[in-house]
Amino acid sequence: MYLPSKVVKEILEKNGFVGFEKIYVSCEHGYAKGQGKLFEIAKADYPTKTKFAHVGDSKEADIKGAQKAGVTPFYYEQCNEF
């Protein structure tokens, strides 16, 4: 992701998605989702939680990357795939 978390939060809130504790974007952490490392960073912030989910539109980075880190992925189909 090339947008900072502040911008992502504003976009989400403008569209009715509110109440996030934290938003993780790869450009702020220096890790791509496909490596699984960004998910590990997020999980480390919540050591008492046992379930994590991620929604994304990349089968490689979002789905496989989440699975590598033990995060449940949900695929959001890209508009160019319709």
Side-chain angles (χ1 to χ4, degrees), residues 3 8 11 17-18 24 28-33 39 46 50 52-53 56-57 59 65-66 73-74 76 78 81:
L3 296 173
V8 173
I11 292 168
F17 298 95
V18 296
Y24 297 85
E28 293 178 351
H29 292 279
Y31 294 106
K33 292 175 290 186
F39 298 109
Y46 300 92
T50 58
F52 294 87
D57 66 354
K59 290 179 182 176
F74 293 91
Y76 184 85
Q78 296 179 16
E81 293 181 356

Side-chain angles (χ1 to χ4, degrees), residues 52-78:
F52 294 87
H54 173 73
V55 178
D57 66 354
S58 168
K59 290 179 182 176
E60 190 64 34
D62 293 310
I63 304 306
K64 290 182 181 177
Q67 289 172 331
K68 280 183 195 176
V71 172
T72 302
F74 293 91
Y75 181 67
Y76 184 85
E77 189 174 26
Q78 296 179 16

Side-chain angles (χ1 to χ4, degrees), residues 5 19-24 28-29 41-42 45-46:
S5 58
F20 295 97
E21 290 182 29
K22 191 167 182 181
I23 296 172
Y24 297 85
E28 293 178 351
H29 292 279
I41 290 170
D45 284 349
Y46 300 92

